[in-house]
Amino acid sequence: MDLKKLRLLFQKSEENPVSVKHPFLSPSNDEYDKLIQDLKDRFDRGNGETIYHIKGEQDGTTKPLSREDYDVCVATLKSLAATRDADCVVLREEITKKGCSGHFLVRCKADELDFVEIRVAVVGNVDAGKSTLLGVLTHGELDNGRGTARLKLFRHKHEIETGRTSSVGNDILGFDSKGNIVNKPVQGSLDWTKICENATKVVTFIDLAGHEKYLKTTVFGMTGHAPDFTMLMVGANMGIVGMTKEHLGLTLSLHIPIFVVVTKIDMAPPNILKETLRLLMKMLKSPGCRKTPILIKNHDDVVFSATNFTTETLCPIFQVSNVSGENLDLLRSFLNLLSARMPAHVNDPAEFQIDDTYSVPGVGTVVSGTALRGCIKLNDTLLLGPDPVGQFVPITVKSIHRKRMPVKEVRGGQTASFALKKVKKSLLRKGMVMVAPSLNPVACWEFEGEILVLHHPTTIQVRYQAMVHCGSVRQTATILEMSQDCLRTGDRATLRFRFIKNPEYLRPGQKIVFREGRTKAVGEVTKTVPYAASGGHQSGRQKSQKYQQHNQRQSEANGSTPSVNGENSETQPQKPYKKRTRRNSRSKGGETRTYPSNAPASTPPQDSPAGQL
């Protein structure tokens, strides 16, 4: 679609930053105070940064600014930024004889122990160049065409040998308050602590697997790591194949904004690249996606797409090469302008979901995950759970690290690692949570959710089992009740689930991914059934009573007297005594010994010392 038409469409719906005609040109004391308050509100909404669009506008009709008036407006904006200890950087300017306008990025200077975090999930088909692109972006060195850049991101030996990611990898890209990259590799490796100390914004890339057999790992990364945006990778020479549509459907079902990066444009013939872009834009415009694709060709396109990207309707498309470095600067500029989507909710009770556990020598048990809301500080006492019986136990936070940098607190929307006091790693698992005691958390075995079936080869009925992904929770669940008799592809219904192994902590409103083989369903938790109300699993006494009742029914069916404590009250007729011979190869001389047929094989012979006893 033509960008001029798009700008006209968004011009009406675009939020006008401020009426710059009067306040910026001749700000009185009251008007200046209002501008300062407006900037503060913008920082609160944008996590310490905002974008101003300076242009002339009055009474709904656009009037261009002269060069003198434009310079005065820019000087006023810079003075406003100085009051909040922020930097003002020009993103784009349009200076002509008809008038002047421009976009400016105003970003606060963060403390050494604080920074804004943006999480970007990287998905796409196998061999699309995901790990290679991340290696080039974070280390600043181009690839040689044979995959040397991706070797710096792999975590396991088999990943290096095969060149395929099988786990959830992480790497970071830091920007300072002026938008400059602060990543400086030392002998080929990155010092995360120095990057976080010098950066105001840190983009965390969640490198996910592209192969089909690692789909459950990819789904866990999309749900458990709570990404703000998704970067879909498409190989220019391969096109839309394999898991590309699968990952795109998963992103759309979770309502995560997405942008596309077409790689390997240096090795793709022009006709193949053109066909790939045509199919890609056709897929994005389809009724299932309903996106507005934009081909990014210059810096003006980057600024326009970044300022309107939060509407979830635009889908920027970048064409890059990891070997020649073509258009990589446009992608870096776009990442610099992204803003976090998850609100902090600092005043709410703390809630932290665990997505991995470690045992560090000399430190003890360490858990990592994402803070969903609230604020967690050192030495805070939280409730950890649920355990296999649905209980929560109090624990104390011993130390906190963000991106390997020690900090004193963690707020909602940030990822962190906690060292816990007197907690064994064997008692922890993925999917557990750490919450404030004021929440009074209750685990649940059963929950209800509204589900939309994306694909199923036949029908889904009661007692159907599949894997449920809900945040960092990943466990098999059984369908107990359905609002319909059966479900097919495209059906929507309310279902009641029950976990198979452990109770979990869920909240209404959480997204669900329900999968089993090629079966895919998405939905939302509508109601949770508390652990006491659902009854939990059967106790040992209940199981013992059922076992005795089963034995009693079997005895009555065989015509014998019911058993008491596993033994018959009347002597049962025994079978005729038979003898069998068995040669003991370990005995001397190969002598043959005789045992009763109804005696256990380990019974010692009567002439042995053990038999005489």
Side-chain angles (χ1 to χ4, degrees), residues 356-368 398-399 401 404 417-426 428:
D356 213 342
T357 60
Y358 309 92
S359 182
V360 181
V363 177
T365 303
V366 176
V367 297
S368 66
K398 185 166 59 174
S399 66
H401 282 71
R404 307 173 188 174
S417 300
F418 296 91
L420 306 181
K421 291 183 180 180
K422 299 179 181 180
V423 177
K424 294 183 180 179
K425 182 178 180 296
S426 58
L428 301 175

Side-chain angles (χ1 to χ4, degrees), residues 385-392 425-433 442-447 465-468 470 472-478 497-506 529-531 534-538 543:
D387 57 12
V389 295
Q391 301 296 322
F392 289 79
K425 182 178 180 296
S426 58
L427 302 178
L428 301 175
R429 59 181 174 83
K430 297 179 181 179
M432 298 179 75
V433 295
V442 178
C444 66
W445 281 101
E446 300 176 6
F447 67 96
Q465 294 184 356
M467 183 69 69
V468 171
C470 185
S472 59
V473 174
R474 181 174 63 180
Q475 190 180 161
T476 304
T478 304
F497 297 92
R498 181 182 179 88
F499 290 115
I500 296 296
K501 188 176 181 181
N502 297 311
E504 302 288 358
Y505 176 75
L506 301 179
V529 181
Y531 176 74
S534 62
H537 276 331
Q538 298 173 350
K543 292 182 179 180

Side-chain angles (χ1 to χ4, degrees), residues 40-86:
K40 181 180 178 181
D41 296 340
R42 283 170 166 264
F43 280 167
D44 293 340
R45 294 194 304 267
N47 290 326
E49 67 177 38
T50 184
I51 296 178
Y52 276 92
H53 185 193
I54 294 182
K55 59 181 179 179
E57 185 172 342
Q58 184 180 10
D59 298 332
T61 60
T62 302
K63 295 181 179 180
L65 285 173
S66 64
R67 181 59 188 265
E68 293 78 9
D69 293 343
Y70 176 76
D71 292 339
V72 172
C73 291
V74 173
T76 304
L77 180 60
K78 290 183 178 180
S79 66
L80 290 173
T83 60
R84 304 295 301 174
D85 192 19

Side-chain angles (χ1 to χ4, degrees), residues 30 60 85 495 517:
D30 294 339
D85 192 19
L495 280 65

Side-chain angles (χ1 to χ4, degrees), residues 80-121:
L80 290 173
T83 60
R84 304 295 301 174
D85 192 19
D87 286 326
C88 181
V89 181
V90 58
L91 297 178
R92 61 173 295 272
E93 284 184 323
E94 187 177 353
I95 299 177
T96 61
K97 295 180 180 180
K98 296 181 180 181
C100 303
S101 64
H103 285 82
F104 292 85
L105 172 65
V106 182
R107 178 178 293 171
C108 286
K109 298 178 182 179
D111 299 333
E112 289 187 358
L113 300 180
D114 192 18
F115 54 87
V116 179
E117 182 181 359
I118 310 294
R119 291 181 295 277
V120 178

Side-chain angles (χ1 to χ4, degrees), residues 69 187 216 321 332 433 508 574 600:
D69 293 343
Q187 296 181 354
K216 78 172 184 178
S321 171
R332 292 190 183 98
V433 295
Q574 297 184 358

